[in-house]
Structure formats: C-alpha cells, structure tokens
C-alpha cells in the first residue's frame, strides 16, 4: 500500500510482491477500485517482484490473469509491461502481457521451444481504465480487452517454460527496461482457466476473484 515496499496478496495465499527499482512512496496511486500500483509516466526498471513458488509453477499448464490498467503515456514503439515471467539468461519470457502502440501484447514460450507473440487490436487509450484478461490452456491463448475477445491463437505444446523465474508486475515483457507507464489495479492470477462467462463476471464485478479459487 501507500508508502510501503510490499504489494500485499489479498487472496490469503501470501504471494506478496516487493517493489524494486522505484521508491515506495511514488509507487501507489488511486486505482479503478481503491488503490493501485503506479509507474507514472516512466519508472526505468521499476517493478513488483513476486518470488517463484509451486503455485506460480502450476501456471505452466494453464492459467488466467485479469487486471485493470490505466495508461499515463504511450511512447511510440515501446512495450509497456503489465505482467511477465522472464526466463533467466535469455531474452525470452514464459509469458508476457503488455501494451504497444495501443495494442495488447501477448507473448509465450513453451518448454518444447514453441512460442509466439500476438497483438490485439488498438484498444488501449491514455487516461482511460481498461480491463484486460488472458487465458492459456492446452489448446490456445486468448486475450480479452474490456468485454471483447481480441486474441485467439494456438499455444503449441504445454507446459510453458518456467525455469527459476519470478513473476514481474509492471515490467519484463521485453526485458528489464519495458516498464508500464500508468497504473495497474486488481491484478489477479489463477492456476486454472476461467471460462469467458467467468472472466466477464470479474469485469462487471458481478463476481470477485475470490469467487473463483
């Protein structure tokens, strides 16, 4: 929270994050619902780091991620990271979700060597809160922006590569210098694949993330 170097995991599972590369006093702001992590208009290598765990590793065979994001700036050609799990000593990511030139970015890399990158249509605007959701299963990767399915792509052969990688929030999609520029709120990750109906229930707040353990 405000003034703290810790991003609390409110699920009760204690997967807390640590603010790195930026001052804690400048890392929090008003969110879509309550408070949000804030990168302002650029935070260098700043990020929230969540250490590797068995729960994170289970994401390698399928997962769901949802978040509300608000861009404060959008430099041409820059990849602004929402969340990523980078692979050590490579330029690859197990998975990465971000924004580039207003397009959603979804990247992945499987242990088999198969991987990909897909762009959603131009849906992210500076100064507006946008809901983004990603699901990955054994068949395909999907990205939803607000209520619309924007990316649907074959995934290759799971599991995703994980190595010893932590989870980075707000950086890491294109390396350690691809920070988000704005605010990230209500980021939630499941090691199961939610249905389109469940994702929409989260977006409209008809259900909370706690309703889908």
């Amino acid at each position: 929270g405000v003034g703290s170097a810790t991003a609390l995991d409110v699920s009760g599972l204690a997967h807390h994050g640590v603010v790195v590369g930026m001052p804690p006093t400048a890392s929090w702001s008003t969110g879509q619902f309550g408070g949000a992590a804030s990168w302002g208009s650029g935070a260098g290598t700043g990020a929230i780091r969540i250490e590797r765990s068995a729960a994170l590793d289970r994401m390698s065979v399928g997962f769901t991620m949802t978040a509300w994001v608000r861009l404060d700036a959008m430099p041409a050609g820059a990849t602004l990271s929402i969340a990523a799990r980078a692979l050590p000593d490579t330029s690859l990511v197990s998975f990465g979700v971000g924004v580039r030139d207003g397009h959603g970015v979804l990247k992945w890399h499987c242990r088999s060597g198969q991987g990909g990158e897909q762009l959603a249509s131009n849906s992210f605007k500076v100064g507006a809160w946008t809901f983004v959701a990603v699901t990955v299963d054994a068949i395909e990767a999907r990205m939803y922006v607000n209520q619309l399915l924007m990316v649907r792509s074959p995934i290759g052969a799971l599991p995703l590569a994980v190595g010893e990688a932590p989870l980075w929030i707000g950086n890491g999609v294109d390396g350690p210098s691809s920070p988000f520029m704005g605010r990230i709120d209500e980021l939630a990750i499941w090691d199961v694949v939610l249905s389109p109906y469940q994702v929409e229930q989260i977006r409209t707040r008809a259900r909370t993330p706690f309703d889908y353990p």
Side-chain angles (χ1 to χ4, degrees), residues 75-107:
T79 300
L80 310 178
S81 304
I82 297 171
R85 197 166 186 196
L87 297 177
D89 303 319
T90 77
S91 59
L92 302 173
V93 294
S94 171
F95 75 90
V97 182
V99 182
R100 185 188 303 138
D101 295 327
H103 302 276
V105 178
L106 176 58
K107 300 174 72 171

Side-chain angles (χ1 to χ4, degrees), residues 26-52:
S27 304
W28 310 100
S29 187
T30 303
Q32 173 75 333
F33 307 103
S38 176
W39 281 257
S41 58
T45 58
I48 295 172
R49 175 185 173 117
I50 300 175
E51 296 299 334
R52 182 190 181 188

Side-chain angles (χ1 to χ4, degrees), residues 116-132:
E117 174 179 314
Q118 291 288 326
L119 299 181
S121 63
N122 193 340
S123 303
F124 293 82
K125 310 295 182 186
V126 172
W129 283 101
T130 302
F131 178 80
V132 58

Side-chain angles (χ1 to χ4, degrees), residues 15-16 49-63 84-85 94-95 160-162 164-168 189-191:
H15 299 303
H16 306 305
R49 175 185 173 117
I50 300 175
E51 296 299 334
R52 182 190 181 188
S53 65
L56 283 181
D57 284 354
R58 286 195 295 272
M59 294 169 58
S60 67
V61 293
F63 72 92
R85 197 166 186 196
S94 171
F95 75 90
L160 296 173
V162 293
E164 300 292 325
L167 173 69
W168 298 98
I189 296 177
W190 295 258
D191 58 4

Side-chain angles (χ1 to χ4, degrees), residues 64-158:
T64 303
M65 188 207 83
T66 64
W68 286 91
V69 302
R70 183 185 187 277
L71 293 166
D72 288 346
M74 191 162 48
T79 300
L80 310 178
S81 304
I82 297 171
R85 197 166 186 196
L87 297 177
D89 303 319
T90 77
S91 59
L92 302 173
V93 294
S94 171
F95 75 90
V97 182
V99 182
R100 185 188 303 138
D101 295 327
H103 302 276
V105 178
L106 176 58
K107 300 174 72 171
W108 66 90
H109 189 78
C110 298
R111 193 179 299 168
S112 65
Q114 297 170 298
E117 174 179 314
Q118 291 288 326
L119 299 181
S121 63
N122 193 340
S123 303
F124 293 82
K125 310 295 182 186
V126 172
W129 283 101
T130 302
F131 178 80
V132 58
V134 169
T135 64
V136 172
D137 60 29
I139 299 172
E140 61 188 6
R142 303 177 187 89
M143 174 182 275
Y144 302 83
V145 181
N146 292 322
Q147 74 271 35
L148 301 177
L149 176 61
M150 293 296 196
V151 169
R152 190 171 188 174
S153 177
I155 190 69
L158 292 179

